[in-house]
Amino acid sequence: MNYNWKKSAIILIDVALACYLFLAITAFNQPDDQKAVCTQVDVNIEDSKVDGFLGGAEIKEQLQRARIYPQGQPMKQINVRKIEETIQQNPFVEKAECFKTQGGHVKVNLTQRLPVVRIKADNGDDYYVDAHGDIMPNTRYTSDLVIATGNITRPYAQKKLARIGKVIMQDTFWQSQIEQLHVLADGSIEMVPRIGDHIIYLGQARNIQQQLNRLEKFYRYGLSEAGWNKYSYINLEFDNQIICKKRRK
């Protein structure tokens, strides 16, 4: 059987030409990585329900100070790992993720640390504590938070007050109702509400959720009928009972 070399050569040439055209078109449609630059930096802050605490402008300033802000820089030279490590040095950032996308964009996703209570102790300490019990430095933060005053050490704030603040911040009613926690010399706690001229005594607040549940029922079925200013002192220290002190006329 005679082999048709001429026909085989034509087929090979056609295949080679098709491959060349495919590679040429693909290369033409893709950007030149050597020349592409970052045209936009997108900062997305998760858990941003606490307004004004951490913003994109602050992240931009931090990266500019470190001389690694990516906008205008060649995409190939942008080190996303270094950007992540730099951002995570911010005391208000819990987690940072940075990556490049087509079109010259750099994406930065952040999870911020959320404060649950502000500490203004008798010893002059002024700082925030987050939901994990970690201390956050004082800042320009202005959102409404429970303020804790009195005889407060840092370990007490991290273990006790962080837990109480977290419970309060997770409930919109108590978040708007409780204004202040005051720690007495023996470590017991008083609460100051926004509505009602009375003080709420929690004692050692070993089960703050149950105490707040009892107080809510008392507000709903007791003070709503007797009047918000009838009592000057409400004691929630003991389980399954509420002890009230009437206001003097």
Side-chain angles (χ1 to χ4, degrees):
M1 182 175 64
N2 295 328
Y3 191 78
N4 193 336
W5 291 99
K6 184 176 181 180
K7 185 176 180 180
S8 299
I10 293 174
I11 294 174
L12 289 174
I13 292 172
D14 289 341
V15 171
L17 182 61
C19 292
Y20 172 79
L21 291 175
F22 174 79
L23 293 174
I25 293 172
T26 302
F28 179 80
N29 289 330
Q30 288 184 350
D32 186 355
D33 290 339
Q34 297 293 335
K35 298 180 180 179
V37 298
C38 174
T39 59
Q40 184 171 327
V41 180
D42 300 318
V43 179
N44 174 49
I45 302 176
E46 300 176 12
D47 298 328
S48 57
K49 60 184 178 181
V50 182
D51 296 330
F53 189 53
L54 184 64
E58 182 178 346
I59 299 303
K60 178 180 179 180
E61 292 175 4
Q62 182 182 0
L63 294 178
Q64 286 177 333
R65 288 194 301 269
R67 300 181 183 275
I68 57 172
Y69 189 65
Q71 189 161 355
Q73 301 299 317
M75 292 292 285
K76 191 172 183 180
Q77 296 180 13
I78 296 173
N79 188 334
V80 295
R81 178 62 62 85
K82 188 173 182 180
I83 291 175
E84 291 175 349
E85 292 174 350
T86 300
I87 293 175
Q88 288 187 170
Q89 293 174 8
N90 190 311
F92 309 119
V93 172
E94 183 172 339
K95 183 180 179 182
E97 180 184 25
C98 180
F99 56 93
K100 307 173 190 178
T101 65
Q102 290 185 350
H105 289 199
V106 171
K107 304 284 187 179
V108 179
N109 292 332
L110 304 178
T111 301
Q112 66 175 327
R113 294 171 59 193
L114 299 180
V116 294
V117 62
R118 180 174 182 176
I119 307 298
K120 292 180 71 70
D122 288 346
N123 61 9
D125 279 350
D126 188 351
Y127 54 88
Y128 297 92
V129 179
D130 69 10
H132 303 294
D134 295 325
I135 292 177
M136 305 170 64
N138 193 1
T139 181
R140 62 183 180 276
Y141 183 58
T142 58
S143 182
D144 290 337
L145 273 183
V146 175
I147 297 177
T149 59
N151 184 29
I152 304 173
T153 63
R154 295 203 170 200
Y156 184 93
Q158 292 177 279
K159 294 179 181 179
K160 176 80 74 171
L161 297 180
R163 177 174 55 84
I164 296 174
K166 183 178 179 180
V167 172
I168 292 174
M169 290 294 290
Q170 288 175 341
D171 189 301
T172 54
F173 173 73
W174 294 119
Q175 185 179 351
S176 60
Q177 171 65 2
I178 302 302
E179 181 176 29
Q180 180 182 350
L181 301 171
H182 184 70
V183 181
L184 304 177
D186 63 353
S188 59
I189 301 173
E190 295 177 334
M191 289 197 310
V192 180
R194 297 182 189 274
I195 301 176
D197 188 13
H198 53 263
I199 300 297
I200 303 160
Y201 183 69
L202 299 174
Q204 298 299 322
R206 293 184 176 87
N207 197 328
I208 181 64
Q209 187 63 68
Q210 288 186 6
Q211 290 177 307
L212 292 179
N213 290 343
R214 274 186 286 139
L215 182 60
E216 183 178 5
K217 292 179 180 178
F218 181 68
Y219 275 174
R220 182 175 299 178
Y221 303 111
L223 292 188
S224 61
E225 297 182 4
W228 285 84
N229 296 322
K230 181 175 182 179
Y231 302 105
S232 61
Y233 208 76
I234 299 174
N235 189 335
L236 301 174
E237 180 181 15
F238 305 105
D239 294 338
N240 302 319
Q241 60 179 309
I242 297 176
I243 302 172
C244 299
K245 181 179 179 180
K246 286 186 178 181
R247 184 177 306 280
R248 293 181 179 180
K249 295 182 179 180

